[in-house]
Amino acid sequence: MDRLPGRARSWSGLRTVAGQVFILQVFIALVLVVAAVVALLLQSRTDADREARNRSLAVATAVASSPSVKQALTEADPTVVLQPQAEETRQRSRVDFVVVMSPQGIRYTHPNPAQIGRHYIGSIAAAQRGGIVTETTTGTLGRSVRAVVPVIGTDGKVVGLVAAGITVKQVSVAAERQLPLVLAAAGLVLAAATGGTAWISGRLRRQTHGLGPAQMTRMYEHHDAVLHSVREGVLVIDAQGRLLLANDEARRLLRLGADAEGRTVGSLGLEPQAETLLLSGTEATDQVVKVGDRLLAVSHRPMTRQAGPGGTVATLRDTTELSVLMGRVEVVQERLKLLYDAGVRIGTTLDVTRTAEELAEFAVPRFADYVTVDLADAVLQGDEPNLLSVTELRRVALHGVRESPLYPPGALIHFVPSTPQAAGFGTGKLVLESDMAAFSGWQAQDPDRARRLVSYGIHSMIAAPLRARGVTLGVVTFWRSREPEPFTTEDLSVAEELVARSAVSIDNARRFTREHTMAVALQRSLLPHVLPGQSAVEVAHRYLPAEAGLGGVGGDWFDVIPLPGARVAIVVGDVVGHGLRAAATMGQLRTAVHNFSALDLPPDELLWYLDELVSRIDQDLEDSGEAPTVTGATCVYAVYDPVSRLCTMARAGHLEPLVVYPDGRAEPAGVPTGPPLGLGGLPYEKAELVLPENSSIVLYTDGLVERRRRDIDEGIELLRRAVAHAGRTPEQMCRAVMDTLLSAPPPDDVALLVARTRLLDSDRTASWDVACDPSAVAGVRSAAGRTVHDWGLEEEAFTLELILSELVTNAIRYARGPIVVRLIRDRSLICEVSDGSSVAPHLRRATSMDEGGRGLFLVAQFADRWGTRYTPSGKVIWTEQHLPASP
C-alpha cells in the first residue's frame, strides 16, 4: 500500500523521461489513427464514383448489344417490346433508370411511362457518332452517374441509343454501413497503441529508474568517465570519416594527440591497414591489425544498418601478449594433432615391417624430410634383440621427400659407437645432431656417405630408440633437409612421443609374429610330414594356415593311416578356434584317431569314441576353470579296402566328401550327417560305397569353400566343378582346386586331401574255406605254402606255415565256422583267418609245466605285427610279415 502514492506520483508527473515519451507516443498514435480514418473515407468516396460509372456503363453496354433490342428498334412500335425488358433489366441490375431511345434522342422506354416519347435530357452527341458518353450530374436525388451507348445495326450504323444511370449514394451505402466497424477498429487500434506505449514507457521508466533529463545528463557524465577508464579503446567516426570520440585507451593504443577528435581518420597518421578498416564501413570482429609494435584486435560496426558508408563505432584491444601465447598454444595443438593422427595411422596391422613403414610414411613431411627405421633381426622374427649385437641393425623402412644417399631398406648396418644411433640404442635416450656439417663424430660410420648426405642438403637429425616394455627394439632416425631451421630440443619431445607410440605397435606386432610362428611351428609339427607308404590309394594333399592377422593358425588337420589287410584310412578334421590351443587340441585329436584306428574300429564307432574323448576334454577344461572348449570340432573318417573296393565313411558335423568317378563325374558321397564332436549321446551313421578303380575321394575343410561374401553352397559347387575332370591325378586336382577357390590369403585354415583308389590284382590274393576238422589244417598249410612259393617268397614260407597252423588250429578248437583263410601279397605278406566267433583271443605266457597256451605267443614272436578286428559275422585274426622289397 505504501508504494501506491509513489507510483501515482510517478505517473502523474511528466518531468521524467518515461512520462514525456508516453505523451509523445500517444499523440503520434492518435494522429495516425485519425489520418487513417480520413483516408479510408476519401478512398470510399472515390471507390463509389468508380463503381457507379462501371455499373452504369456495363448495363448500357449489355442492353445495347442485345439482339432483341436491335430487332425491336426496327419495328414500328419499339416501346411495346423494349419497355418491359428495360424495366426488368433496371430492377435486376439495381440501377436508377434504363432508357432506350432513337438515334435522335427520343425515348422509347423510361421508368416513368409519362416520359416516353420525350427527348432525352443529357449529352448524346458522342454516342450518335458511335462513341460512349459517361457523365456525372447532380439532381434532386443527389450525385448520379449515367452512360450512353450506341446500338449498332447490321450495316454498322447507329440505329438507337441506350442510357443507364445510378446515383452514387446507392453505391456508397455498403461502405457507409461499414463505417461504424472502421471507427470501432480505429478505436481498438488506438487503445492497443496506447497500451503498448504505456508498456514501453513503463519499461523505459524502469530502465531509467524514473530519472529526469537533468539526472540523465549526470548519468551520461558518469558513463563518459567510465568510457575513458576502461582498458579497451573506443572510437566513434561519423559518415564523413571524422573522428567524433576517442577514449583514453584508444588514444594510448593509436598514439593519438589531444586534437585528434574532429579530424579525419586519414590525417591521424595511422597504419594503412588500420586506416582502411576504420574507413571501410564494413563489419569486422576481432580483426588483428598491426599498429607499430602492437597487435590490436579491432571490432568494427556501423552505427546504422543502412547500406553504404556511414557513422561507425570501433573497439580496440591489445592482443600482443595473447598472440604470443596463442602461437604457443597452436604449436602445442599441432603437436597433439600429430600424435593423435599417429595413433590412428600407425599400427593398423600386426606386421612388424608394415608398422615401421607406416611410421616412416606418417612422419614425412609432417615432422621430418626423411625417416629411417632400423630394427634388430631378432625383432623381425618375433624375438627380443640380443644385447651382444645391439649396434647391428637391419634397415626396415626408409621414406623421404625424394631419393637420398641413405642406406636402402634391407641393408644390415653395423653402427659404430660414435654414431647417434648406437648411442641412442645403448642408452635408450634421444640424441640430437643439430649441425651435421660440423662432423662431430657421426660421420665415422661411413665418411664418404656422410659427405654425400651433407652435400645433399641433410643438415640435422634426431636418433630416437624404439623402446617398449623395457626392451629396445631398434632406432628411428629423423632427418631434416628442406627446412632451413635445424631440429631443436623442443622437437625431441615430439620425436620421443611419436616413437614411443610406434614402439608399442611394433612390439605388439613382434609378439604376434612370435605367437603366430610358434603356432604354425606347433601345428606343422603335429601334422604328417610324410604320408606313410601304402598301396590302397594314391594321395595328394594341400594345407594352408590362415593368414596372420585375418584368423591366425587354426585346428585343421588331415591324415592317412595304413590299416591291416592292405586297407587304408583317410581322415580330415577341423577344431574350433585359432591359435596355440586349437593347434594343441588338433594334435590330441589326431593322436586319438591314430589310437582308435589301431583297434580297427568301423568309422561310425571310431567317431563315437572320439566324441566321448572330446566330451571328457571339455569336462577337464571346465573343471580347471578354462573357458574355451573343443565342442564343435568336426571330422570325416573313411576306410578303403583295395581288395573288395569297399569304401566306408562317416562324418561328425563335417562337410560331405566328394567322389570323382573315372569318367570325370563328381558327386557328393552321400554320407549321413552326424553331430559335431563333443555333443555326446547322438549316434553316427556310416555309408558304404563300392568304388570303381581310379575313383577319387575328395576330403576338405570349410576354410576352402567358405568366404564372407560367398555362400558355402556356392563354394562347394566351385569345388565340384574344379575336380570334375576325367584322367586327372590327385596332384593335378589339388592344383586346380587351389587355383579356382583361393585367389587371396584364406581367413581360415585350409586342408584338402585327394585319394585315388587302387585295386589289388587277383593274383596277389588267395583264400580257402576250412572245415571245422583238425585234419584240415595240413591241407590248408600245404596250399598256402605252394601259393607263397609261386609268389617268390620262399623265405617267408616256413614262418607263414607255422603262423597259419596255430591260427587255424585255434579257430577249429575254440571258435565256430565258417573259417576262411586269406593271403594278401602287398608291401608285406598278410595272413587273415576269419571265423564266426566274436570272442577275442588272449595272449598269455605259458609256464614250463603248461601243456598249452603257447600258440598266440609263437604267432606274436614270428609275425612282425598281428591283431584282431571284428566283422558283422565274427572276427578276423591277422598277421603281417615284412617283405624285403615292396612289389
Side-chain angles (χ1 to χ4, degrees), residues 143-165:
R143 296 176 66 253
S144 64
V145 178
R146 61 181 62 179
V148 181
V149 177
V151 180
I152 308 300
T154 56
D155 54 357
K157 296 182 179 181
V158 177
V159 298
L161 303 175
V162 177

mmCIF file of all heavy atoms in Angstrom, residues 143-165:
data_model
loop_
_atom_site.group_PDB
_atom_site.id
_atom_site.type_symbol
_atom_site.label_atom_id
_atom_site.label_comp_id
_atom_site.label_asym_id
_atom_site.label_seq_id
_atom_site.Cartn_x
_atom_site.Cartn_y
_atom_site.Cartn_z
ATOM 1 N N ARG A 143 -25.896 13.193 -56.350
ATOM 2 C CA ARG A 143 -24.957 12.932 -57.427
ATOM 3 C C ARG A 143 -25.264 11.582 -58.049
ATOM 4 O O ARG A 143 -25.500 10.585 -57.377
ATOM 5 C CB ARG A 143 -23.508 12.938 -56.919
ATOM 6 C CG ARG A 143 -23.064 14.277 -56.383
ATOM 7 C CD ARG A 143 -21.642 14.235 -55.778
ATOM 8 N NE ARG A 143 -20.643 13.966 -56.780
ATOM 9 C CZ ARG A 143 -20.001 12.817 -56.894
ATOM 10 N NH1 ARG A 143 -20.251 11.854 -56.041
ATOM 11 N NH2 ARG A 143 -19.095 12.641 -57.846
ATOM 12 N N SER A 144 -25.270 11.593 -59.397
ATOM 13 C CA SER A 144 -25.534 10.353 -60.132
ATOM 14 C C SER A 144 -24.582 10.286 -61.318
ATOM 15 O O SER A 144 -24.059 11.297 -61.782
ATOM 16 C CB SER A 144 -26.981 10.305 -60.616
ATOM 17 O OG SER A 144 -27.224 11.350 -61.539
ATOM 18 N N VAL A 145 -24.401 9.068 -61.806
ATOM 19 C CA VAL A 145 -23.521 8.803 -62.947
ATOM 20 C C VAL A 145 -24.354 8.094 -63.995
ATOM 21 O O VAL A 145 -25.094 7.146 -63.681
ATOM 22 C CB VAL A 145 -22.317 7.935 -62.552
ATOM 23 C CG1 VAL A 145 -21.454 7.626 -63.762
ATOM 24 C CG2 VAL A 145 -21.475 8.629 -61.481
ATOM 25 N N ARG A 146 -24.304 8.601 -65.269
ATOM 26 C CA ARG A 146 -25.036 7.986 -66.357
ATOM 27 C C ARG A 146 -24.097 7.725 -67.525
ATOM 28 O O ARG A 146 -23.089 8.373 -67.679
ATOM 29 C CB ARG A 146 -26.188 8.901 -66.793
ATOM 30 C CG ARG A 146 -25.733 10.258 -67.302
ATOM 31 C CD ARG A 146 -26.895 11.144 -67.689
ATOM 32 N NE ARG A 146 -27.753 11.425 -66.539
ATOM 33 C CZ ARG A 146 -28.838 12.203 -66.596
ATOM 34 N NH1 ARG A 146 -29.193 12.761 -67.747
ATOM 35 N NH2 ARG A 146 -29.568 12.434 -65.519
ATOM 36 N N ALA A 147 -24.496 6.720 -68.334
ATOM 37 C CA ALA A 147 -23.697 6.346 -69.507
ATOM 38 C C ALA A 147 -24.627 6.128 -70.676
ATOM 39 O O ALA A 147 -25.734 5.591 -70.530
ATOM 40 C CB ALA A 147 -22.900 5.078 -69.224
ATOM 41 N N VAL A 148 -24.220 6.599 -71.885
ATOM 42 C CA VAL A 148 -24.993 6.456 -73.106
ATOM 43 C C VAL A 148 -24.148 5.646 -74.079
ATOM 44 O O VAL A 148 -23.003 6.018 -74.371
ATOM 45 C CB VAL A 148 -25.380 7.809 -73.713
ATOM 46 C CG1 VAL A 148 -26.212 7.611 -74.960
ATOM 47 C CG2 VAL A 148 -26.131 8.657 -72.693
ATOM 48 N N VAL A 149 -24.749 4.541 -74.632
ATOM 49 C CA VAL A 149 -24.029 3.618 -75.519
ATOM 50 C C VAL A 149 -24.835 3.473 -76.797
ATOM 51 O O VAL A 149 -26.069 3.302 -76.733
ATOM 52 C CB VAL A 149 -23.839 2.253 -74.848
ATOM 53 C CG1 VAL A 149 -23.152 1.279 -75.796
ATOM 54 C CG2 VAL A 149 -23.029 2.403 -73.569
ATOM 55 N N PRO A 150 -24.242 3.536 -78.004
ATOM 56 C CA PRO A 150 -24.975 3.385 -79.259
ATOM 57 C C PRO A 150 -25.332 1.925 -79.517
ATOM 58 O O PRO A 150 -24.611 1.011 -79.107
ATOM 59 C CB PRO A 150 -24.001 3.920 -80.299
ATOM 60 C CG PRO A 150 -22.654 3.646 -79.715
ATOM 61 C CD PRO A 150 -22.812 3.846 -78.243
ATOM 62 N N VAL A 151 -26.462 1.777 -80.258
ATOM 63 C CA VAL A 151 -26.869 0.439 -80.725
ATOM 64 C C VAL A 151 -26.506 0.384 -82.196
ATOM 65 O O VAL A 151 -27.029 1.154 -83.002
ATOM 66 C CB VAL A 151 -28.373 0.198 -80.505
ATOM 67 C CG1 VAL A 151 -28.762 -1.187 -81.009
ATOM 68 C CG2 VAL A 151 -28.717 0.342 -79.025
ATOM 69 N N ILE A 152 -25.602 -0.493 -82.570
ATOM 70 C CA ILE A 152 -25.070 -0.598 -83.921
ATOM 71 C C ILE A 152 -25.850 -1.658 -84.666
ATOM 72 O O ILE A 152 -25.976 -2.810 -84.204
ATOM 73 C CB ILE A 152 -23.575 -0.918 -83.917
ATOM 74 C CG1 ILE A 152 -22.793 0.077 -83.019
ATOM 75 C CG2 ILE A 152 -23.021 -0.915 -85.326
ATOM 76 C CD1 ILE A 152 -22.924 1.513 -83.460
ATOM 77 N N GLY A 153 -26.378 -1.273 -85.852
ATOM 78 C CA GLY A 153 -27.120 -2.223 -86.675
ATOM 79 C C GLY A 153 -26.208 -3.126 -87.461
ATOM 80 O O GLY A 153 -24.979 -3.021 -87.390
ATOM 81 N N THR A 154 -26.839 -3.953 -88.287
ATOM 82 C CA THR A 154 -26.053 -4.918 -89.083
ATOM 83 C C THR A 154 -25.239 -4.204 -90.161
ATOM 84 O O THR A 154 -24.214 -4.734 -90.603
ATOM 85 C CB THR A 154 -26.995 -5.936 -89.735
ATOM 86 O OG1 THR A 154 -27.973 -5.239 -90.526
ATOM 87 C CG2 THR A 154 -27.704 -6.763 -88.672
ATOM 88 N N ASP A 155 -25.694 -3.011 -90.551
ATOM 89 C CA ASP A 155 -24.956 -2.278 -91.575
ATOM 90 C C ASP A 155 -23.895 -1.363 -90.975
ATOM 91 O O ASP A 155 -23.271 -0.585 -91.667
ATOM 92 C CB ASP A 155 -25.926 -1.443 -92.428
ATOM 93 C CG ASP A 155 -26.793 -0.531 -91.564
ATOM 94 O OD1 ASP A 155 -26.648 -0.614 -90.294
ATOM 95 O OD2 ASP A 155 -27.595 0.239 -92.114
ATOM 96 N N GLY A 156 -23.710 -1.451 -89.642
ATOM 97 C CA GLY A 156 -22.690 -0.654 -88.983
ATOM 98 C C GLY A 156 -23.140 0.737 -88.617
ATOM 99 O O GLY A 156 -22.336 1.516 -88.127
ATOM 100 N N LYS A 157 -24.386 1.065 -88.836
ATOM 101 C CA LYS A 157 -24.878 2.403 -88.496
ATOM 102 C C LYS A 157 -25.540 2.376 -87.137
ATOM 103 O O LYS A 157 -25.981 1.331 -86.654
ATOM 104 C CB LYS A 157 -25.871 2.876 -89.548
ATOM 105 C CG LYS A 157 -25.232 3.051 -90.932
ATOM 106 C CD LYS A 157 -26.262 3.563 -91.923
ATOM 107 C CE LYS A 157 -25.654 3.784 -93.307
ATOM 108 N NZ LYS A 157 -26.643 4.316 -94.292
ATOM 109 N N VAL A 158 -25.633 3.540 -86.516
ATOM 110 C CA VAL A 158 -26.267 3.678 -85.208
ATOM 111 C C VAL A 158 -27.764 3.675 -85.414
ATOM 112 O O VAL A 158 -28.315 4.551 -86.087
ATOM 113 C CB VAL A 158 -25.816 4.967 -84.500
ATOM 114 C CG1 VAL A 158 -26.539 5.113 -83.176
ATOM 115 C CG2 VAL A 158 -24.303 4.958 -84.285
ATOM 116 N N VAL A 159 -28.443 2.662 -84.840
ATOM 117 C CA VAL A 159 -29.905 2.531 -85.004
ATOM 118 C C VAL A 159 -30.627 2.921 -83.733
ATOM 119 O O VAL A 159 -31.860 2.938 -83.703
ATOM 120 C CB VAL A 159 -30.269 1.101 -85.418
ATOM 121 C CG1 VAL A 159 -29.644 0.750 -86.761
ATOM 122 C CG2 VAL A 159 -29.803 0.122 -84.346
ATOM 123 N N GLY A 160 -29.905 3.219 -82.675
ATOM 124 C CA GLY A 160 -30.529 3.621 -81.442
ATOM 125 C C GLY A 160 -29.496 3.901 -80.388
ATOM 126 O O GLY A 160 -28.292 3.710 -80.582
ATOM 127 N N LEU A 161 -29.964 4.390 -79.231
ATOM 128 C CA LEU A 161 -29.092 4.694 -78.111
ATOM 129 C C LEU A 161 -29.662 4.074 -76.853
ATOM 130 O O LEU A 161 -30.898 3.953 -76.711
ATOM 131 C CB LEU A 161 -28.940 6.205 -77.931
ATOM 132 C CG LEU A 161 -28.413 7.005 -79.138
ATOM 133 C CD1 LEU A 161 -28.435 8.492 -78.817
ATOM 134 C CD2 LEU A 161 -27.012 6.570 -79.509
ATOM 135 N N VAL A 162 -28.771 3.671 -75.926
ATOM 136 C CA VAL A 162 -29.197 3.116 -74.631
ATOM 137 C C VAL A 162 -28.484 3.909 -73.553
ATOM 138 O O VAL A 162 -27.260 4.061 -73.586
ATOM 139 C CB VAL A 162 -28.857 1.619 -74.519
ATOM 140 C CG1 VAL A 162 -29.246 1.109 -73.149
ATOM 141 C CG2 VAL A 162 -29.548 0.815 -75.595
ATOM 142 N N ALA A 163 -29.261 4.437 -72.595
ATOM 143 C CA ALA A 163 -28.705 5.180 -71.470
ATOM 144 C C ALA A 163 -29.054 4.469 -70.191
ATOM 145 O O ALA A 163 -30.177 3.957 -70.042
ATOM 146 C CB ALA A 163 -29.236 6.599 -71.458
ATOM 147 N N ALA A 164 -28.081 4.409 -69.242
ATOM 148 C CA ALA A 164 -28.296 3.814 -67.928
ATOM 149 C C ALA A 164 -27.669 4.723 -66.902
ATOM 150 O O ALA A 164 -26.585 5.293 -67.124
ATOM 151 C CB ALA A 164 -27.691 2.408 -67.845
ATOM 152 N N GLY A 165 -28.295 4.879 -65.728
ATOM 153 C CA GLY A 165 -27.768 5.757 -64.702
ATOM 154 C C GLY A 165 -28.049 5.239 -63.323
ATOM 155 O O GLY A 165 -28.999 4.481 -63.092
#
